[in-house]
Amino acid sequence: MKTIQELRDTFPRPGAVEWLGLRPARRAPVQAVMQVEAHPLVGLIGDHGKLAPPRLTALTGEAGEEARPANAPAIPGGPGRRQVTLIQAEHLPVIAALAGLEAASPEQLRRNIAVRGIPLLALKDRRFQIGEVILEGTGECHPCSRMEETLGEGGYNAVRGHGGLTARVIRGGVIRLGDEVRPLPGPVT
């Protein structure tokens, strides 16, 4: 018989990126894109107007990126815990049904990535890879009051329990539509 940890480490198959989106500014409409660039210091380039930080000039020591170990733990409630938001594509019809709508989209929920085929909440508190990028699941992505605006009255409650996952970027790179989503071995320590 498997232990609980062994059960948590067992996934039937990898998932896939079904949709990608960026929010150019606070309260601006989410724009669907074919690919996004992830950076460990800022999250997704172009989301909420974020830009890549200036590069550190190693020889002169000019201001720029600060070195941070890739395995540094997230600070509870601290910076970087919500660099990326993900939603389970299979939950969108459930949210629509609970909100009394024909359909619900990742744009309405203001998420960055919709994944299919892997239980997203099982990636909480662990590292996972999407294409060349490594993310760390930092918590559940709870709904906000904006859900009442986008989904109508009761939208907040329709999303509860189905809001997805927040993550921080551990190793940057490009995430593309169709990229594989694969958990990495073991929980975050």
Side-chain angles (χ1 to χ4, degrees), residues 11-18 87-91 114-120 123 179-183:
F11 291 82
R13 64 183 180 272
V17 174
E18 184 171 282
I87 186 82
Q88 182 83 47
E90 291 89 346
H91 288 192
V115 302
R116 181 173 296 283
I118 191 166
L120 191 56
L123 300 176
D179 275 352
E180 186 174 270
V181 181
R182 179 177 297 285

Side-chain angles (χ1 to χ4, degrees), residues 21-50:
L22 296 173
R23 300 158 291 186
R26 187 175 185 275
R27 297 191 69 83
V30 178
Q31 298 174 354
V33 295
M34 300 294 288
Q35 65 182 32
V36 295
E37 183 181 350
H39 191 286
L41 294 177
V42 297
L44 300 181
I45 305 299
D47 195 43
H48 286 237
K50 294 176 189 161

Side-chain angles (χ1 to χ4, degrees), residues 94-101 109 143-162:
V94 173
I95 292 167
L98 294 173
L101 303 172
L109 300 174
C144 66
S145 61
R146 295 274 323 268
M147 296 303 100
E148 296 287 310
E149 293 174 31
T150 60
L151 301 174
E153 189 172 335
Y156 175 86
N157 279 324
V159 178
R160 288 179 69 190
H162 304 287

Side-chain angles (χ1 to χ4, degrees), residues 98-166:
L98 294 173
L101 303 172
E102 287 188 30
S105 69
E107 291 99 332
Q108 289 175 299
L109 300 174
R110 309 196 56 75
R111 300 301 184 256
N112 299 121
I113 303 172
V115 302
R116 181 173 296 283
I118 191 166
L120 191 56
L121 285 183
L123 300 176
K124 182 181 167 190
D125 299 326
R126 70 179 306 134
R127 291 188 177 173
F128 55 99
Q129 189 164 350
I130 302 180
E132 61 192 37
V133 174
I134 295 178
L135 300 174
E136 180 178 284
T138 57
E140 293 182 42
C141 193
H142 299 291
C144 66
S145 61
R146 295 274 323 268
M147 296 303 100
E148 296 287 310
E149 293 174 31
T150 60
L151 301 174
E153 189 172 335
Y156 175 86
N157 279 324
V159 178
R160 288 179 69 190
H162 304 287
L165 187 71
T166 60

